[in-house]
Amino acid sequence: MSLVDHPGRQHVHIDHAAILRQIHAEVAPLVGQGKVAAYIPRLADVPANRFGMAVATLDGRLFEVGDAAEPFSIQSISKVFSLTLALEALGPDLWKRVGREPSGSAFNSLVQLESEKGIPRNPLINAGAHVVADVVLSSNRNAREHLLAFVRERADNPGVIMDAEVAGSERDTGFRNAALANFVRSFGNLDNPVEQVLDFYFHQCALQMSCADLARAFVYLANRGRCQRSGKSVISAGLAKRINALMLTCGTYDAAGEFAFRVGFPAKSGVGGGIVAIVPNVLTVAVWSPALDDKGNSLAGAAALERFAALTGLSIF
Ligand code: GLU
């Protein structure tokens, strides 16, 4: 049992271990339903029958169920880490180069970029993540190492890696990302060569982390920008709030409205089947199940988060 400071309510007791066990049993029939992402060939080999979930509370405890310790390709979840580094480097000037509105179209769509003159709608779609990657590259001599060190420290796990095979597999087939980055560059919204931007982007997407790693790593966003272990500031409370807002409105592809409706947490998903969600001032929760629904979110993972919100009563709404 744990005692949490529930916003709006005093001291709600939540038995996270029991809730995770219950969710694991309830979503079992959904695990494997949907499709494992195959457009990155290396991801197509991941077994669809996996399910893991982990909760990290702000008092430093971790609860896990199923395959919560198994590392997987976090893909677009990495966009939140890079955004954190870019905001740290550039501050509000980042918003001159990327917007803060949901796109209403697919994460890898080219259509809006033409009329909006190379300014991507938000930092969590691919074109926006390319601009963010460009900022991280410009502000660090070894951007890849810098990101990896940041993620390892956040996750408190020096064993986190970027899977070179996944990055290579995506580079070999990443024609649409190449088109997006070239298009953005044609409007002057990338400073670094497209190849370098894409190389960094494919490597950030190839970060391999478990649900336990992810739950720990994102605690700073639930903890007003502070590391739970050291108490040190990772980013300001104001920026943590903004990142949470972007996750809520833009973090789950073109289903962010539906996700807010069903679940009610800021969240970011990836095509590797991971979803991480933030409950500000309370906890983080990460879930993984590789088979995706038609919008690209983990089918069993989204159902598990919906049940988690219902069983804990922690939806932000
Ligand atoms: N690396 C993937 C891509 O650019 C990330 C997609 C995702 O997880 O949303 O297509």
Side-chain angles (χ1 to χ4, degrees):
M1 291 285 254
S2 74
L3 200 61
V4 296
D5 248 343
H6 188 296
R9 261 177 278 164
Q10 297 282 308
H11 304 313
V12 177
H13 289 279
I14 297 179
D15 186 343
H16 289 292
I19 286 176
L20 290 187
R21 278 196 304 274
Q22 180 178 342
I23 292 171
H24 192 197
E26 282 183 14
V27 303
L30 298 177
V31 173
Q33 283 190 33
K35 284 204 180 93
V36 176
Y39 76 98
I40 301 173
R42 196 69 177 75
L43 294 185
D45 309 333
V46 178
N49 64 354
R50 295 289 194 275
F51 177 87
M53 194 164 182
V55 169
T57 59
L58 291 198
D59 56 7
R61 285 163 318 134
L62 186 78
F63 301 89
E64 302 175 65
V65 80
D67 302 310
E70 188 171 328
F72 60 90
S73 190
I74 74 164
Q75 292 296 318
S76 274
I77 297 172
S78 65
K79 290 171 180 169
V80 182
F81 294 131
S82 293
L83 175 61
T84 303
L85 296 183
L87 279 170
E88 212 181 13
L90 213 56
D93 281 351
L94 181 68
W95 308 123
K96 295 179 183 150
R97 296 181 54 185
V98 61
R100 305 187 295 247
E101 287 294 341
S103 68
S105 45
F107 68 100
N108 57 4
S109 170
L110 280 141
V111 289
Q112 283 160 349
L113 280 175
E114 173 86 32
S115 57
E116 296 178 5
K117 301 195 170 23
I119 307 291
R121 273 284 175 102
N122 69 68
L124 301 180
I125 53 174
N126 284 15
H130 298 158
V131 172
V132 166
D134 187 57
V135 171
V136 178
L137 277 170
S138 294
S139 47
N140 293 281
R141 197 169 301 147
N142 194 338
R144 216 199 272 176
E145 282 305 313
H146 182 61
L147 174 66
L148 188 57
F150 176 75
V151 171
R152 284 175 171 167
E153 193 179 337
R154 298 279 65 76
D156 194 21
N157 180 1
V160 172
I161 58 152
M162 292 167 170
D163 186 322
E165 280 188 37
V166 172
S169 176
E170 184 162 14
R171 184 199 54 230
D172 294 345
T173 54
F175 307 112
R176 189 170 272 264
N177 275 311
L180 286 164
N182 277 291
F183 206 49
V184 171
R185 170 111 192 190
S186 78
F187 285 99
N189 198 10
L190 292 182
D191 296 331
N192 295 281
V194 164
E195 305 71 50
Q196 285 179 27
V197 172
L198 290 177
D199 182 68
F200 177 77
Y201 172 75
F202 292 145
H203 278 86
Q204 74 166 54
C205 289
L207 278 161
Q208 287 279 128
M209 298 174 76
S210 67
C211 290
D213 289 330
L214 283 171
R216 277 203 198 91
F218 280 101
V219 160
Y220 72 102
L221 290 180
N223 198 28
R224 297 172 190 262
R226 288 190 178 276
C227 173
Q228 184 273 330
R229 282 171 288 116
S230 67
K232 285 193 190 139
S233 174
V234 178
I235 46 164
S236 70
L239 286 180
K241 182 176 84 173
R242 267 57 187 241
I243 294 172
N244 281 324
L246 286 163
M247 289 171 77
L248 183 80
T249 52
C250 312
T252 43
Y253 305 118
D254 196 18
E258 180 69 10
F259 199 86
F261 185 87
R262 281 174 62 195
V263 180
F265 299 141
K268 183 73 201 90
S269 52
V271 294
I275 311 176
V276 63
I278 312 295
V279 185
N281 304 314
V282 184
L283 53 77
T284 61
V285 50
V287 63
W288 171 55
S289 196
L292 310 177
D293 63 19
D294 56 358
K295 290 285 169 57
N297 295 307
S298 168
L299 191 146
L305 288 173
E306 185 173 3
R307 289 300 292 143
F308 184 79
L311 291 168
T312 58
L314 287 174
S315 161
I316 65 168
F317 298 109

